[in-house]
Amino acid sequence: MKQQLNCILLIDDDEPTNFLNKMVIEEAGIARHILVEQSAEDALDYLQGKMPPDPGVDCPIPDLIFLDINMPAMDGWEFLDRYKQLPADQQAAIIVVMLTTSFNPEDEVKARSIGLISEFRNKPLNPRMLLDIIREHFPERF
């Protein structure tokens, strides 16, 4: 990879899934920072600057978000509704990939109709899938 992404944000309530996804990203060496939020609400707070990252981590705006659909309190669809309302500087040019266990074709149709979702992929994240996403959406860095 020519240049690493500055930051990848994982939004998923499932701790083992986050562990696996983070491990795949770390092993690929494609990002300087990987942030994990186990709730969509916390992820929105982070994107709005209400919740700073760990001390010493310079990661204000992620380049890439992996978003789960099914989460308690606020699911992925509700996150996207609220995300659309953020100011442009807080949305920036973030690539949002919906990463889900849903095999419901209607979920994929809905995701693509929203316009904010760059990709709809099924879990688990794996090295090949990750590299395909990076090649597609960040070709200048690969």
Side-chain angles (χ1 to χ4, degrees):
M1 183 153 206
K2 293 178 190 174
Q3 181 184 2
Q4 289 180 310
L5 300 180
N6 185 41
C7 180
I8 295 176
L9 174 59
L10 304 172
I11 307 171
D12 196 315
D13 64 306
D14 186 64
E15 194 171 334
T17 297
N18 286 325
F19 177 81
L20 175 65
N21 291 347
K22 187 174 181 183
M23 186 176 69
V24 168
I25 295 165
E26 285 173 344
E27 287 179 3
I30 63 161
R32 283 190 218 96
H33 304 287
I34 305 163
L35 297 177
V36 177
E37 295 297 347
Q38 287 190 268
S39 81
E41 185 72 45
D42 286 347
L44 284 167
D45 286 347
Y46 174 77
L47 291 169
Q48 295 174 83
K50 295 178 183 176
M51 192 168 137
D54 294 332
V57 175
D58 178 25
C59 187
I61 298 175
D63 299 297
L64 176 61
I65 293 174
F66 286 104
L67 174 65
D68 186 25
I69 292 177
N70 299 311
M71 295 180 283
M74 179 187 294
D75 65 19
W77 305 120
E78 293 167 302
F79 170 87
L80 291 169
D81 287 341
R82 299 251 319 265
Y83 180 79
K84 282 191 282 192
Q85 298 170 14
L86 294 178
D89 64 321
Q90 291 173 349
Q91 289 184 33
I94 301 171
I95 300 297
V96 180
V97 175
M98 191 157 271
L99 189 61
T100 181
T101 55
S102 173
F103 287 97
N104 182 344
E106 292 175 18
D107 284 339
E108 185 170 359
V109 170
K110 181 177 179 179
R112 296 194 186 285
S113 72
I114 291 173
L116 296 172
I117 302 296
S118 300
E119 299 230 8
F120 185 94
R121 299 287 186 118
N122 290 106
K123 293 179 187 177
L125 182 65
N126 62 60
R128 171 111 184 166
M129 181 192 307
L130 179 62
L131 289 178
D132 287 346
I133 291 166
I134 297 303
R135 284 185 184 119
E136 174 71 23
H137 300 285
F138 303 95
E140 71 284 357
R141 296 184 185 207
F142 197 77

